[in-house]
Amino acid sequence: MKILLHTCCGPCTIYPLDYLRNEGHIVHGYFFNPNIHPYTEWQRRRETLEKYAREQELPVIFDVDYPLEQFLQMVVHREARRCQFCYALRLRQAARVARRGDFDAFTTTLLVSPFQKHDLLREIGEAVGEESGVPFYYVDFRPGFKEAVARSKELGMYRQQYCGCIYSEKERYYRSSKREGAGEGK
Ligand code: SF4
């Protein structure tokens, strides 16, 4: 099949790309991630993917759209459910591009991360596949996560420390800084 691989970053591309190519598919990447904040972080992840894609001869469509405002308007007051909107926004756009490009299916590198809400991702991907008419190709890529982390380190790739949005950045650093603060003076 000709598969469009929605791609969140370079390190998460390693295993799904190998897996899909080993299955004999023709893979194209698609980078669309307005959930990554701030913009300079988005640029850094994009550049890391660009470099890896060149090395792997992976054609990638880089979406220059960065509708940060749309993302925030969608999730504000619903922050606890934000991942649901975030997945739907990105996968709907991937399905549109897959349909326009005559792809047989689409999938996402997000399925490699044990930190994502895997079942929700699958559910949304399949629903988007049905509504768009382009099947969502579900694979549980998580067994390859550790190996991909090791390879990305060997390759010296930039590895982000938080999922993407400002909320996840806060969760990553605010709690740890609170813990450090709590430890002070002991
Ligand atoms: S935590 Fe990650 S998946 Fe959830 S909304 Fe933020 S960027 Fe999107």
Side-chain angles (χ1 to χ4, degrees), residues 5-10 12-13 29-39 41-43 45-47 49 60-68 71 86-87 89-91 93-94 107-110 116 160 163-165:
L5 176 63
H6 167 263
T7 303
C8 60
C9 65
C12 287
T13 303
Y30 176 57
F31 184 86
F32 173 69
N33 299 293
N35 59 305
I36 299 173
H37 315 149
Y39 180 65
E41 173 72 20
W42 179 92
Q43 282 178 310
R45 294 190 198 185
R46 178 194 155 140
E47 283 160 13
L49 173 64
V60 179
I61 301 162
F62 286 97
D63 204 320
V64 290
D65 270 357
Y66 183 65
L68 165 73
F71 176 85
C86 179
Y87 295 154
L89 175 71
R90 292 189 280 170
L91 293 181
Q93 182 63 14
T107 189
T108 175
T109 55
L110 293 165
Q116 295 296 333
Q160 61 270 12
C163 185
C165 62

Side-chain angles (χ1 to χ4, degrees), residues 103-166:
F103 284 83
D104 300 303
F106 72 101
T107 189
T108 175
T109 55
L110 293 165
L111 291 167
V112 79
S113 170
F115 302 110
Q116 295 296 333
K117 296 175 170 58
H118 193 91
D119 294 341
L120 179 64
L121 200 45
R122 179 181 189 173
E123 191 186 309
I124 292 173
E126 288 176 348
V128 168
E130 275 184 31
E131 79 188 23
S132 67
V134 184
F136 180 67
Y137 191 65
Y138 170 75
V139 179
D140 185 354
F141 293 124
R142 288 175 297 182
F145 181 74
K146 277 193 183 154
E147 175 197 321
V149 168
R151 269 182 55 202
S152 66
K153 285 182 181 168
E154 276 165 29
L155 293 168
M157 287 170 105
Y158 168 63
R159 296 188 48 78
Q160 61 270 12
Q161 298 299 309
Y162 61 99
C163 185
C165 62
I166 46 172

Side-chain angles (χ1 to χ4, degrees), residues 11-44:
C12 287
T13 303
I14 294 175
Y15 184 76
L17 177 61
D18 285 356
Y19 183 100
L20 294 170
R21 281 181 166 170
N22 285 339
E23 279 195 331
H25 302 298
I26 297 164
V27 184
H28 289 233
Y30 176 57
F31 184 86
F32 173 69
N33 299 293
N35 59 305
I36 299 173
H37 315 149
Y39 180 65
T40 47
E41 173 72 20
W42 179 92
Q43 282 178 310
R44 197 163 182 199

